Amino acid sequence: MHIEIAGAGLAGLTAAAAFGKAGCSVRVHEKGSILREIGAGIYLWENGLRALEAIGAYEEVVSRAEKVEVPFLRDHDGSTLQDEWLRNHRLYTVGRRHLYQSLLNAARRQGVEIVTDSPVTGATPNGTLTTAAGQEYPADLAIGADGVFSKVRDSLGLRQKLVDLRDGGGRHLIPRTGDDPVHQTIEQWNGGRRIGIIPCSPDETYVFLCCPANDVEGREQNPFNAATWIESFPEFRSQLERIPFDTEGRWAPFHDVHVSQWYSGRTALVGDAAHAMSPNLGQAACVAMTNAVALAIAVTNSSSIDFALKSWQEGQREMSEGVQRYSRVYGKVGTMWPKGLLDARSALVRKLTASRRVQGSINFAAERFPAGQIQRIDAAAAILKEEVLA
C-alpha cells in the first residue's frame, strides 16, 4: 500500500510514522525548503502520549520533557481556580522543536520519504495529490495534513466554515531559571488576558500570552511590549523580562475549521485541515496525533479503505468536534468576559470545575484513544486470507 501525505507538520509526520510502521511506502510533501516546527512549548495529555507510544516516539519525546504533577489555573487576584485537571492521567510538557524532531526521527526509522520544496495545491478523490509544479502523485490513500488553510481540503470542496475566533496568542521560549515552577504549570487570567508559565525542558520555559484581537497593546509581541504584560501580571515579571525584545514569537489569531466530511473518496484530512481549534485546552496537537494514529489503525485493520475511512470518521469526529467546542467556550470565558464582572467569573469557574463530572466533560479527550493496534499490511492480508478460507 502506498500513502501520499501533504504537510510535514505534527499530524502529517505522525500519520507518516504510523503508516510506515504498518509496512506501507509513504511519501510526505513539505512546502518549505527546510523541515522545522515553529512555536514554543506544547502540552501532551494521555491521548497524545499514547499516540507517541503507538509510533515508537514516546521515549525520545519524554527524555527532554517535564512531567507535570499540578496544572494550576488562577484568577485575576492570583487565587487558585483549579488544580485537579489531571484526574490521575499522565501529562507532560515539551518543546515543540524537540517533539517535531522526535516525530521526524520516528518517520525516518520507518523508511518514510520526505520531499521539501513540494507545495501541494490540490487533490482528487481517487487519492492523487497535485503539486505547484504540476506533478501528480497517485496513492492508495492520500492525506491532507496541510493545516488551517488546507489546499487539499478546499480543492475537494470539504470546507464549510473557517472562523476567526477574534482571540489569539503569542508563544515564547525563555531560558529556565529557579524562578520558574517545577513539575507544575501556571495559567492566570486578568481581564481578557491570559498568561501561561510552563516548564517544557530541563533548560527552557514556555510562556504563552493570549488576548482578544482588539487588545492592540497585548498583540504587540514582536517586537515584544513587556511593559503592558508586566502591568497585567506583575508576579511574573521575572519570566516576562526574559522574553527578548526581538522574540521569535508573535501574536497569531486562533481559528476553528468546520468541514462536511473528513474524507472524499480515498483522500482524507487530519489535524488542522479537518478540525483546527483554539489551543485553550492544550488538546489541538494531541487530538491531531490521535486521529492520525486512529486512521492508520482503521486502514490497516480493514480489507476496504472505503469502509475504514467511514469507521474512522465515525469513531473520532464527535470527540474532536467536542474538544473544539469546549476550547472555544473556554476561550470566550477567559477572553471576552466583561471586566466589571471578574469576581463573578471566578465564582462560576470555581463552582463548575469543582464538579468531577464537569472536569471529565472538559478533559474527556485525554481518556479517548482508539481500540486496536497498527497492523502490518502483510500480516493483515494473511489474517484476512485465513478468515476468507475459513
Side-chain angles (χ1 to χ4, degrees):
M1 180 179 290
H2 179 62
I3 314 294
E4 293 279 347
I5 301 176
L10 302 182
L13 289 179
T14 301
F19 279 101
K21 182 178 179 180
C24 301
S25 63
V26 183
R27 178 163 43 213
V28 181
H29 300 266
E30 168 54 40
K31 66 180 180 180
S33 58
I34 58 174
L35 296 170
R36 67 187 183 95
E37 172 66 5
I38 60 174
I42 195 167
Y43 284 81
L44 293 173
W45 295 87
E46 180 70 24
N47 53 334
L49 295 169
R50 291 185 66 182
L52 293 173
E53 288 172 335
I55 62 171
Y58 173 83
E59 294 296 338
E60 183 177 354
V61 170
V62 301
S63 69
R64 284 190 56 79
E66 179 89 355
K67 189 176 191 299
V68 178
E69 296 171 356
V70 184
F72 285 104
L73 174 62
R74 296 177 179 172
D75 69 3
H76 56 285
D77 64 6
S79 60
T80 298
L81 295 173
Q82 173 57 251
D83 62 1
E84 295 183 313
W85 294 111
L86 281 178
R87 302 185 71 240
N88 300 316
H89 289 290
R90 294 177 293 175
L91 173 61
Y92 283 85
T93 52
V94 68
R96 292 182 73 99
R97 290 185 177 91
H98 175 63
L99 172 62
Y100 185 83
Q101 188 60 52
S102 300
L103 292 174
L104 187 60
N105 293 342
R108 285 174 167 162
R109 284 195 298 270
Q110 301 297 346
V112 171
E113 177 187 2
I114 303 175
V115 184
T116 56
D117 290 316
S118 185
V120 171
T121 56
T124 61
N126 69 358
T128 298
L129 298 182
T130 303
T131 65
Q135 292 179 287
E136 294 186 346
Y137 293 87
D140 297 293
L141 175 66
I143 298 173
D146 49 344
V148 173
F149 303 102
S150 169
K151 300 289 189 182
V152 171
R153 176 196 64 223
D154 293 350
S155 70
L156 294 169
L158 296 176
R159 182 171 80 172
Q160 290 183 318
K161 290 190 298 183
L162 195 163
V163 182
D164 185 338
L165 298 174
R166 308 302 299 160
D167 182 13
R171 299 179 173 103
H172 309 272
L173 278 180
I174 59 174
R176 186 170 178 175
T177 74
D179 289 343
D180 301 338
V182 178
H183 301 306
Q184 298 176 354
T185 64
I186 302 171
E187 177 179 346
Q188 187 162 323
W189 298 354
N190 188 355
R193 293 184 177 184
R194 289 170 286 150
I195 187 172
I197 308 297
I198 299 102
C200 64
S201 80
D203 49 16
E204 291 177 318
T205 293
Y206 161 40
V207 179
F208 69 73
L209 303 172
C210 297
C211 65
N214 62 5
D215 183 347
V216 177
E217 287 190 341
R219 290 175 55 172
E220 293 175 359
Q221 297 188 34
N222 189 346
F224 181 51
N225 182 352
T228 188
W229 285 95
I230 291 172
E231 183 180 358
S232 294
F233 301 101
E235 57 270 66
F236 299 117
R237 174 183 287 272
S238 170
Q239 289 80 15
L240 291 165
E241 289 183 340
R242 272 179 270 151
I243 298 176
F245 178 73
D246 57 348
T247 175
E248 290 184 9
R250 63 181 180 85
W251 188 94
F254 301 152
H255 295 87
D256 274 357
V257 164
H258 304 272
V259 296
S260 56
Q261 288 272 106
W262 280 9
Y263 65 94
S264 176
R266 295 194 172 194
T267 300
L269 305 174
V270 297
D272 286 349
H275 47 70
M277 65 185 74
S278 57
N280 297 318
L281 297 181
Q283 272 288 354
C286 292
V287 169
M289 293 190 295
T290 297
N291 289 344
V293 172
L295 177 59
I297 291 173
V299 170
T300 62
N301 281 273
S302 175
S303 60
S304 165
I305 291 179
D306 298 333
F307 176 80
L309 291 176
K310 184 174 185 293
S311 62
W312 165 67
Q313 177 176 258
E314 289 175 349
Q316 300 300 117
R317 185 169 180 175
E318 182 180 359
M319 175 273 293
S320 303
E321 293 181 349
V323 177
Q324 183 189 64
R325 182 169 56 254
Y326 275 113
S327 187
R328 182 170 61 249
V329 171
Y330 185 101
K332 287 183 177 179
V333 172
T335 302
M336 307 299 181
W337 198 272
K339 286 187 177 181
L341 298 174
L342 297 185
D343 288 337
R345 177 176 69 179
S346 296
L348 175 64
V349 172
R350 280 196 183 93
K351 181 177 180 180
L352 289 175
T353 58
S355 163
R356 285 288 186 179
R357 182 181 64 82
V358 172
Q359 286 183 39
S361 297
I362 294 173
N363 200 29
F364 70 100
E367 303 174 1
R368 293 281 297 275
F369 197 79
Q373 296 181 334
I374 300 167
Q375 297 285 346
R376 287 197 62 84
I377 294 297
D378 49 0
I383 292 170
L384 178 62
K385 182 178 180 180
E386 290 178 7
E387 290 176 348
V388 170
L389 291 175

